[in-house]
């Protein structure tokens, strides 16, 4: 799930950006990647950061073990699906995470309702002989785990720079004059695209500078009523008293009535 946090290196452990390191976390012994020094500004950008210790920079043996864990994923996933089917549970297995130290095996799943998976956990524990954790996630979390590229051709934001999932509403799409066709403004998760939220603050700021729709303004072309906004261009569609409808830059508005 790409947890971010602040980790203290053990004595004589020197790291740099991009290093694969072995960590002690609240979940056990895990592998992670060094991003940057834990400055106050960096920590302030992370909601509820996890904390722990950097045990060492990954050794060749550690990297070999990480490769083995990745190679086991398909078999682990198939076993999980088989046991879910045996227990006839209404849940969709999304991904599996083996903790590096073997302390637990985490199963991420989707479900439209609450699921009683107590018997499933017992079956999984008998199969894998380790502690089992089942975590129900949403469709946006699924995209964060599995999606690759968005319609823009770049890696999906939720799997790159996003720390939290911002709320996105159809009101934002309407303000930005986006198409209201859900198939065109939905991301890989099936929800409205997060980039609508990224641009919302700029649209709201620019909109405050424009006279409200329906208000009357005086321009160097005469007096008229505002019919429409072109927010990013900072222009107005104005209907003048003689019936003309013209786009007018905000700079040409002399007075607001």
């Amino acid at each position: 799930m790409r947890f971010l946090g602040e980790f203290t290196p053990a004595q004589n452990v020197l790291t740099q950006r991009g290093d694969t390191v072995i960590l002690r976390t609240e979940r056990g012994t895990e592998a992670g990647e060094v991003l940057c020094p834990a400055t106050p500004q960096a920590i302030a950008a992370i909601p509820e950061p996890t904390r722990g210790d950097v045990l060492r920079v990954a050794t060749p043996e550690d990297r070999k073990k990480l490769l083995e864990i990745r190679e086991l994923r398909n078999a682990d996933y198939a076993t999980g699906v088989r046991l879910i089917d045996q227990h006839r549970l209404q849940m969709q297995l999304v991904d599996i995470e083996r903790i590096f130290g073997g302390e637990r095996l985490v199963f991420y799943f989707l479900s439209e309702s609450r699921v009683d998976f107590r018997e499933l956990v017992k079956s999984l524990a008998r199969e894998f002989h380790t502690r089992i954790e089942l975590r129900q996630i949403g469709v946006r979390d699924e995209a964060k785990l599995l999606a690759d590229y968005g319609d823009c051709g770049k890696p999906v934001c939720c799997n790159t720079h996003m720390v939290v999932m911002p709320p996105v509403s159809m009101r934002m799409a309407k303000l930005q004059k986006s198409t209201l066709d859900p198939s065109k403004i939905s991301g890989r998760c099936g929800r409205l695209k997060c980039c609508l939220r990224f641009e919302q603050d700029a649209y709201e700021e620019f909109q405050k500078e424009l006279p409200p729709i329906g208000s009357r303004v005086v321009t160097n072309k005469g007096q008229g009523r505002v019919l429409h906004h072109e927010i990013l261009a900072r222009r107005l569609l104005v209907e003048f008293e003689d019936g003309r409808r013209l786009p007018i830059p905000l700079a040409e508005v002399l007075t607001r009535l």
Side-chain angles (χ1 to χ4, degrees):
M1 295 300 290
R2 298 175 62 85
F3 295 122
L4 301 176
E6 178 183 13
F7 294 84
T8 304
Q11 189 174 8
N12 299 324
V13 174
L14 300 177
T15 65
Q16 60 184 359
R17 178 176 173 83
D19 280 350
T20 299
V21 290
I22 305 304
L23 311 167
R24 180 184 295 113
T25 75
E26 59 185 14
R27 301 198 304 172
T29 304
E30 300 191 65
E33 179 183 346
V34 176
L35 299 180
C36 66
T39 63
Q41 294 86 349
I43 298 302
I46 306 173
E48 300 180 1
T50 184
R51 287 179 168 81
D53 300 306
V54 179
L55 302 179
R56 62 184 180 274
V57 176
T59 64
E61 291 76 15
D62 292 330
R63 294 179 182 276
K64 180 180 178 181
K65 184 175 179 179
L66 285 171
L67 182 60
E68 292 172 351
I69 289 174
R70 283 195 290 269
E71 291 174 345
L72 286 171
R73 181 189 174 280
N74 288 340
D76 292 343
Y77 185 90
T79 300
V81 170
R82 174 173 58 82
L83 292 176
I84 288 172
D85 289 343
Q86 284 183 7
H87 288 272
R88 298 182 177 181
L89 296 175
Q90 297 299 312
M91 56 192 291
Q92 175 190 340
L93 186 60
V94 174
D95 203 0
I96 297 175
E97 179 184 16
R98 276 183 178 262
I99 302 302
F100 180 82
E103 293 88 349
R104 69 181 70 186
L105 192 58
V106 186
F107 291 77
Y108 298 96
F109 71 93
L110 289 173
S111 178
E112 296 181 358
S113 59
R114 294 179 62 87
V115 179
D116 183 356
F117 48 67
R118 288 173 292 182
E119 294 302 318
L120 173 63
V121 170
K122 294 178 183 178
S123 297
L124 290 169
R126 286 194 295 268
E127 186 75 29
F128 291 104
H129 305 289
T130 188
R131 179 179 176 182
I132 301 297
E133 178 181 340
L134 269 71
R135 292 192 58 187
Q136 184 171 356
I137 62 175
V139 290
R140 298 179 79 188
D141 291 314
E142 180 189 22
K144 181 176 181 179
L145 282 170
L146 303 180
D148 42 20
Y149 291 90
D151 296 340
C152 60
K154 295 184 178 181
V156 291
C157 298
C158 57
N159 202 13
T160 51
H161 66 276
M162 287 177 60
V163 178
V164 296
M165 301 293 190
V168 187
S169 68
M170 188 62 76
R171 182 181 64 84
M172 298 176 183
K174 292 178 180 178
L175 177 63
Q176 297 174 33
K177 302 297 187 295
S178 298
T179 173
L180 300 184
D181 182 348
S183 66
K184 295 182 179 179
I185 57 174
S186 298
R188 294 291 300 273
C189 60
R191 299 290 193 268
L192 293 174
K193 292 180 178 178
C194 292
C195 52
L196 292 171
R197 182 65 186 87
F198 299 157
E199 300 178 10
Q200 183 68 12
D201 292 342
Y203 273 89
E204 291 178 351
E205 180 181 348
F206 289 174
Q207 187 185 42
K208 291 177 182 178
E209 302 174 3
L210 302 175
I213 292 175
S215 63
R216 300 191 67 80
V217 294
V218 177
T219 75
N220 54 12
K221 292 182 174 63
Q223 181 176 312
R225 182 169 60 93
V226 178
L227 298 179
H228 182 73
H229 290 160
E230 295 181 27
I231 296 178
L232 291 186
R234 300 188 185 186
R235 293 194 302 183
L236 313 169
L237 178 62
V238 178
E239 182 179 42
F240 293 96
E241 294 177 338
D242 58 5
R244 292 176 301 155
R245 294 186 176 185
L246 299 175
I248 302 296
L250 177 61
E252 293 185 12
V253 175
L254 305 176
T255 307
R256 305 183 187 189
L257 301 179

